[in-house]
């Protein structure tokens, strides 16, 4: 089994974000264009929201680990907003070698910021990393559900 390095993680979540966008758009077409059913939006909406947040978390984590410029991280986050834009962003990242196969912060040593040291601790324990990432994403997702959709329901 291949390891889940920063490049692979970012690619998987960029693809998943695009797929869930497609599902949500199909659901929206069924609901608003054909007035057939709102089941697609009911199911795909929360799934897309959760994957969207996971993609955003992974973009920040990969960006910090791979020492992306702040503008690159912001561009990565912004690419999750328009449908399917995560795919060209991820390809650009791969083409420019911005996300390699190894986590830089998993190795010890070096002059690191407080954020890098905290992230290094999480990355040294991948199971904890996944649990923390999913827990943080789930918490943000729950708060967003509590707040409700933009503009009200």
């Amino acid at each position: 089994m291949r390891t889940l390095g920063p490049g692979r993680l970012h690619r998987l979540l960029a693809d998943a974000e695009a797929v869930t966008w497609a599902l949500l758009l199909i659901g929206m077409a069924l609901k608003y264009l054909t007035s057939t059913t709102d089941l697609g939006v009911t199911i795909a909406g929360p799934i897309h929201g959760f994957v969207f947040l996971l993609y955003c978390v992974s973009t920040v984590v990969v960006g910090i680990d791979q020492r992306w410029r702040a503008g690159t991280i912001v561009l990565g986050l912004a690419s999750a907003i328009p449908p399917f834009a995560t795919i060209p962003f991820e390809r650009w990242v791969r083409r420019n070698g911005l996300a390699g196969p190894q986590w830089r912060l998993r190795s010890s040593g070096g002059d690191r910021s407080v954020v890098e040291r905290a992230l290094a601790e999480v990355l040294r324990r991948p199971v904890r990393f996944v649990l923390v990432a999913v827990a943080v994403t789930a918490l943000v997702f729950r708060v967003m559900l509590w707040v409700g959709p933009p503009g009200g329901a």
Side-chain angles (χ1 to χ4, degrees):
M1 185 172 108
R2 294 181 1 208
T3 61
L4 192 59
R8 187 161 184 243
L9 175 68
H10 193 255
R11 182 175 190 177
L12 286 171
L13 287 171
D15 291 347
E17 201 273 344
V19 167
T20 61
W21 247 124
L23 294 173
L24 181 57
L25 290 173
I26 291 168
M28 290 170 67
L30 290 172
K31 181 176 181 176
Y32 298 111
L33 297 179
T34 68
S35 299
T36 310
T37 181
D38 65 348
L39 189 61
V41 173
T42 302
I43 294 170
I47 293 170
H48 172 68
F50 192 72
V51 173
F52 169 89
L53 292 172
L54 285 175
Y55 171 79
C56 290
V57 168
S58 77
T59 298
V60 171
V61 168
V62 170
I64 291 169
D65 181 78
Q66 301 291 294
R67 290 189 171 155
W68 292 356
R69 293 183 177 138
T72 302
I73 294 173
V74 170
L75 183 61
L77 294 172
S79 75
I81 297 169
F84 315 116
T86 57
I87 301 296
F89 176 75
E90 187 280 325
R91 286 183 180 168
W92 177 80
V93 164
R94 195 169 2 124
R95 201 172 41 249
N96 288 289
L98 296 178
Q102 302 297 321
W103 293 99
R104 178 183 65 83
L105 293 174
R106 283 187 77 178
S107 61
S108 59
D111 188 27
R112 296 185 175 159
S113 68
V114 172
V115 172
E116 286 181 328
R117 285 193 303 270
L119 184 55
E121 282 302 312
V122 173
L123 291 174
R124 283 192 196 100
R125 294 164 185 84
V127 173
R128 185 189 299 176
F129 168 66
V130 170
L131 292 175
V132 168
V134 169
V136 168
T137 303
L139 178 64
V140 170
F141 185 65
R142 181 64 192 127
V143 168
M144 290 174 72
L145 286 175
W146 177 71
V147 169

